Amino acid sequence: MSSPQPPAHGPSERLMRAGTRRRRIVVWRHGQTTHNAAGIWQGQLDTDLSDLGREQARAAAQALTALEPARIIASDLKRAATTAQALGEASGLTPSYDERLREIHVGEWQGLTAGDVAERYPELQDALARGEDLARGVTGETLAQVVERAGALADEVAESMADGETVVLATHGVTGRALASYLVGIDQSVAWMALAGLHNCHWVEIVEHRFGWRIERWNVGA
C-alpha cells in the first residue's frame, strides 16, 4: 500500500503558517474637503482637502508613523493623494498612486447636495438604504464594481507583502469600507448595513492571523 501523499500547497499556505511577524494593511480615508463640509456628493470629482482636512492629514500621519509603514498606496484623486503625501512627509516614504482606489462613481449625483439627491431620487435612495446594490446616481458604479477593482489591488498588495510589513492604502469612504470588508471576507450587503462609515482621516487596521485577515481596529483617528 502506497504512503499517503502530502497535501498540495495552496495560495493560503502562507496565512496558515503566519507567525509573530504579522502583516498589516491600513485602509485610510482622506481628510475633510469643502464638499464634505457642505454635504455635497463627490464620487470621483477631483476635489482637494480643506484647511481642516490638511490639519487632519498631518495629525493622522504622525499617529500612523507608529505603525512603521513600509509602503503607501493612494487613490490618484487629489483629496486622497494629498492625505497620503502627509504620511509620506512624516515617514520619509514616497506614495504611489492607483486609480483602483478611487471613490465609487456616483453618476448624476456628483456635485449635488444631499438634499438635492433626496428630493430628486427618493426611490433609488430608499433601495440603497434597504441594502440593494444599484448603480449610484443612475449612471455611476455599483458596490460590486468597486469591490472588483479595489479588491484586485488588495490581492496584489497582500501577495507582495513581506513578513511583518505594514502597507497603508489611502482611499475614500465607500471604497474604504468595501475594501476592508473584502479583505476579511464580510459580505458586502452585511457590511453596508452593519458597519459605520469611516470618518474623515480615520482608518481601519487589518492584521494577518493564522487563518487569514482580521479587523483589529475600526474607525481609528489621531
Side-chain angles (χ1 to χ4, degrees), residues 63-145:
L64 286 169
T65 57
L67 300 178
E68 299 181 347
R71 283 185 282 165
I72 309 165
I73 307 171
S75 159
D76 61 343
L77 295 178
K78 282 188 293 189
R79 57 192 186 273
T82 303
T83 299
Q85 287 162 11
L87 180 55
E89 292 169 3
S91 63
L93 299 172
T94 300
S96 61
Y97 305 96
D98 197 304
E99 65 181 13
R100 290 176 292 179
L101 288 174
R102 288 182 179 185
E103 182 59 298
I104 189 170
H105 197 296
V106 294
E108 296 174 6
W109 296 354
Q110 292 190 166
L112 298 181
T113 67
D116 288 337
V117 170
E119 181 179 347
R120 300 180 195 179
Y121 304 87
E123 293 182 359
L124 179 52
Q125 286 227 306
D126 286 348
L128 293 172
R130 292 192 298 269
E132 297 180 37
D133 188 23
L134 304 176
R136 273 55 175 177
V138 183
T139 59
E141 289 181 296
T142 64
L143 195 60
Q145 290 172 319

Side-chain angles (χ1 to χ4, degrees), residues 9-206:
H9 292 163
S12 64
E13 181 198 33
R14 184 174 187 172
L15 293 180
M16 297 289 285
R17 65 168 187 254
T20 56
R21 298 187 65 233
R22 298 182 299 170
R23 302 183 301 168
R24 183 185 308 268
I25 295 176
V26 177
V27 179
W28 185 26
R29 187 187 177 194
H30 61 81
Q32 186 205 68
T33 68
T34 54
H35 277 50
N36 290 145
I40 296 172
W41 284 83
Q42 292 171 108
Q44 293 189 8
L45 293 179
D46 202 10
T47 54
D48 208 345
L49 298 182
S50 64
D51 290 342
L52 175 59
R54 293 178 188 277
E55 292 176 12
Q56 292 172 332
R58 286 191 290 268
Q62 291 300 318
L64 286 169
T65 57
L67 300 178
E68 299 181 347
R71 283 185 282 165
I72 309 165
I73 307 171
S75 159
D76 61 343
L77 295 178
K78 282 188 293 189
R79 57 192 186 273
T82 303
T83 299
Q85 287 162 11
L87 180 55
E89 292 169 3
S91 63
L93 299 172
T94 300
S96 61
Y97 305 96
D98 197 304
E99 65 181 13
R100 290 176 292 179
L101 288 174
R102 288 182 179 185
E103 182 59 298
I104 189 170
H105 197 296
V106 294
E108 296 174 6
W109 296 354
Q110 292 190 166
L112 298 181
T113 67
D116 288 337
V117 170
E119 181 179 347
R120 300 180 195 179
Y121 304 87
E123 293 182 359
L124 179 52
Q125 286 227 306
D126 286 348
L128 293 172
R130 292 192 298 269
E132 297 180 37
D133 188 23
L134 304 176
R136 273 55 175 177
V138 183
T139 59
E141 289 181 296
T142 64
L143 195 60
Q145 290 172 319
V146 174
V147 172
E148 182 177 4
R149 59 172 164 84
L153 178 137
D155 288 340
E156 293 169 11
V157 168
E159 182 64 26
S160 67
M161 290 173 69
D163 290 341
E165 185 177 5
T166 294
V167 176
V168 176
L169 305 179
T171 184
H172 306 264
V174 173
T175 300
R177 178 168 51 180
L179 188 55
S181 303
Y182 171 80
L183 280 164
V184 300
I186 298 175
D187 180 83
Q188 291 296 326
S189 62
V190 173
W192 183 258
M193 300 298 288
L195 294 177
L198 295 176
H199 304 315
N200 283 125
C201 240
H202 283 53
W203 62 88
V204 184
E205 294 179 25
I206 304 168

